[in-house]
Amino acid sequence: MNDLRHLLVLPDRDSAEEAATEAATRFALPHHPRLLRDALAGEDDADDAQWLVIIEDEADELDPAALAALAEEYDGWREAE
């Protein structure tokens, strides 16, 4: 069993919160995804921050393509490993 994490990168907090809630519902996640603000390197302006949705996938059961499609629905992407 792998301890996997999937990262969805979203443009703002609202999108990240909505994507996290949708992921929890759509994929019947046992835990709600965590949100993390990720400031772009060298940027101090809050407008230059991205938001990460961190989805734990300990059983390695989630489809990366389905997660990428979800992120795209919210103008984001799934960070490739």
Side-chain angles (χ1 to χ4, degrees), residues 5-48:
R5 280 189 186 136
H6 300 278
L7 298 178
L8 307 184
V9 183
L10 286 298
D12 56 57
R13 183 181 186 133
D14 290 341
S15 296
E17 288 175 346
E18 291 175 22
T21 298
E22 180 62 25
T25 301
R26 188 179 298 186
F27 301 110
L29 300 176
H31 305 288
H32 198 275
R34 291 185 302 130
L35 300 180
L36 178 66
R37 182 179 175 273
D38 184 38
L40 298 175
E43 298 294 335
D44 293 328
D45 189 349
D47 291 337
D48 292 326

